[in-house]
């Protein structure tokens, strides 16, 4: 079973790496197209969009490094493995988004304050922007789908990053249209609107990453309780807790059983409970079950009351 799990995890890692590598190449092509033509046409928004796409590429590199480190096997100092390094990589992408937002916003503010507008709008400007927008939307859709399928924080964070690039491109296109209509400052104003969109994307990445790092519950407690209590031999389940990544969940719970049940029988029951949970939730990698006799003392849940009192 362990060997199969290891093989499945290796296959997942390789799939994530292939997605990140492919997206990296596409992001580099998109970044060069926007930045080079933005420089030629003196479009602050296009140049900013190109810079943002460069950060997309850097985010892909961070993702490749992060997933490689996260897949290192458990060792003496890290008995639970290194899976949270994938989430730390997501946080780095979020920080890179904030820096990208600063780059986009600061250049636009300087241009607005100085009143210096030199944007040249040509048919090629729209060809470049619409073409890169199509690529970004395709990449975002594919990467998000793969992130959900592989339950990868890093892919979903990078998909959000690429989506922000698509939002930037839409803003730039709107700005170019307005500039062509004679509103010269529109290019820089749209750059500021895009900055806000990037910051919102970064916030969403931080929210999801902190949920993992703060050990937020991954499976509703009631679902697990109902599943376990449906098993013959289990009289009651309580203190159900889950944490970890979407694809690497740790679960522990307490179960009440017949006080006269033998150690061997209770051990067999625990094995069966673990099997049922694993079948229902394949993403659960580790299960810890505490067996208690179904008597008055344990039905009062003294430990649970202490936990609630500590919270109060």
């Amino acid at each position: 079973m362990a060997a199969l799990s290891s093989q499945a995890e290796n296959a997942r890692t390789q799939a994530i790496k292939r997605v990140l590598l492919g997206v990296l190449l596409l992001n580099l092509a998109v970044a060069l197209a926007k930045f080079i033509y933005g420089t030629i046409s003196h479009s602050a928004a296009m140049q900013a969009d190109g810079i943002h796409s460069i950060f997309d590429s850097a985010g892909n590199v961070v993702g490749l490094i992060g997933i490689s480190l996260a897949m290192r096997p458990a060792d003496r100092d890290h008995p639970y493995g290194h899976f949270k390094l994938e989430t730390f990589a997501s946080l780095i992408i979020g920080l890179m988004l904030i820096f990208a937002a600063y780059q986009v916003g600061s250049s636009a503010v300087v241009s607005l304050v100085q009143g210096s507008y030199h944007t040249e709008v040509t048919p090629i400007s729209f060809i470049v922007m619409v073409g890169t927008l199509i690529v970004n939307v395709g990449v975002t859709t594919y990467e998000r789908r793969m992130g959900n399928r592989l339950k990868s924080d890093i892919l979903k964070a990078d998909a959000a990053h690429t989506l922000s690039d698509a939002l930037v491109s839409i803003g730039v296109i709107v700005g170019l249209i307005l500039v062509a209509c004679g509103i010269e400052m529109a290019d820089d104003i749209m750059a500021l609107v895009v900055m806000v969109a990037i910051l919102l994307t970064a916030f969403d990445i931080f929210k999801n990453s902190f949920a993992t790092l703060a050990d937020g519950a991954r499976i509703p407690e009631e679902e697990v309780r109902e599943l376990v209590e449906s098993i013959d031999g289990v009289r009651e389940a309580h203190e159900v807790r889950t944490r970890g990544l979407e694809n690497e969940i740790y679960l522990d719970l307490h179960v009440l059983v017949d006080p006269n049940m033998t150690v061997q029988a209770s051990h067999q029951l625990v094995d069966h409970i673990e099997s049922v949970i694993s079948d229902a939730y394949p993403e659960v990698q580790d299960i810890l079950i505490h067996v208690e006799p179904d008597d008055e003392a344990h039905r009062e849940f003294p430990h649970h009351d202490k936990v609630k009192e500590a919270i109060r």
Side-chain angles (χ1 to χ4, degrees), residues 61-140:
V61 174
V62 170
L64 285 167
I65 296 173
I67 194 65
S68 296
L69 293 175
M71 291 305 106
R72 291 164 57 195
D75 53 39
R76 170 179 277 183
D77 295 327
H78 305 87
Y80 289 99
H82 302 79
F83 296 101
K84 282 189 177 181
L85 290 177
E86 182 177 345
T87 303
F88 280 112
S90 299
L91 286 175
I92 293 175
I93 292 176
L95 292 173
M96 293 172 69
L97 274 174
I98 291 178
F99 186 67
Y102 169 77
Q103 293 291 324
V104 170
S106 60
S107 60
V109 168
V110 170
S111 182
L112 288 170
V113 170
Q114 294 179 349
S116 56
Y117 313 116
H118 308 287
T119 305
E120 299 174 8
V121 181
T122 68
I124 298 179
S125 301
F126 291 104
I127 292 174
V128 171
M129 292 310 305
V130 172
T132 57
L133 175 60
I134 292 172
V135 172
N136 283 333
V137 171
V139 168
T140 299

Side-chain angles (χ1 to χ4, degrees), residues 214-243:
D215 286 337
R218 283 299 183 181
I219 305 174
E221 178 181 348
E222 189 61 32
E223 283 187 15
V224 179
R225 184 186 299 115
E226 290 180 1
L227 176 67
V228 173
E229 290 181 348
S230 69
I231 299 173
D232 289 339
V234 176
R235 295 187 176 181
E236 189 170 301
H238 59 276
E239 293 193 42
V240 179
R241 298 182 297 179
T242 56
R243 62 183 177 87

Side-chain angles (χ1 to χ4, degrees), residues 3 13 142 148 153 199 232 236 239:
T13 302
Y142 171 69
N148 290 329
D153 283 351
L199 289 174
D232 289 339
E236 189 170 301
E239 293 193 42

Side-chain angles (χ1 to χ4, degrees), residues 12-40:
R12 171 183 174 272
T13 302
Q14 294 305 316
I16 293 174
K17 286 181 177 180
R18 285 195 297 271
V19 173
L20 287 172
L21 185 58
V23 172
L24 169 62
L25 297 176
L26 288 172
N27 280 336
L28 283 174
V30 165
L32 289 174
K34 288 186 287 193
F35 185 77
I36 291 174
Y37 195 76
T39 302
I40 294 173

Side-chain angles (χ1 to χ4, degrees), residues 264-278 289:
Q264 182 177 6
S266 62
H267 177 71
Q268 292 174 346
L269 176 61
V270 166
D271 285 344
H272 182 50
I273 295 172
E274 291 177 347
S275 177
V276 170
I277 293 176
S278 296
I289 300 175

Side-chain angles (χ1 to χ4, degrees), residues 142-257:
Y142 171 69
E143 197 169 16
R144 183 188 292 116
R145 184 171 67 247
M146 293 301 294
N148 290 329
R149 180 185 301 174
L150 298 171
K151 299 185 184 301
S152 169
D153 283 351
I154 193 67
L155 283 184
K156 285 187 283 189
D158 199 53
H161 195 175
T162 306
L163 175 61
S164 72
D165 201 23
L167 295 175
V168 172
S169 297
I170 293 173
V172 171
I173 292 172
V174 172
L176 291 175
I177 293 173
L178 293 176
V179 170
C181 293
I183 306 175
E184 294 184 334
M185 68 173 59
D187 187 58
D188 295 304
I189 292 176
M190 290 311 302
L192 293 178
V193 173
V194 163
M195 177 193 71
V196 175
I198 296 173
L199 289 174
L200 290 175
T201 302
F203 172 77
D204 189 55
I205 290 176
F206 285 132
K207 182 179 69 174
N208 293 331
S209 297
F210 286 142
T212 296
L213 296 177
D215 286 337
R218 283 299 183 181
I219 305 174
E221 178 181 348
E222 189 61 32
E223 283 187 15
V224 179
R225 184 186 299 115
E226 290 180 1
L227 176 67
V228 173
E229 290 181 348
S230 69
I231 299 173
D232 289 339
V234 176
R235 295 187 176 181
E236 189 170 301
H238 59 276
E239 293 193 42
V240 179
R241 298 182 297 179
T242 56
R243 62 183 177 87
L245 280 68
E246 282 191 71
N247 68 294
E248 186 74 17
I249 297 176
Y250 293 84
L251 183 153
D252 60 82
L253 74 157
H254 292 210
V255 295
L256 297 181
V257 302

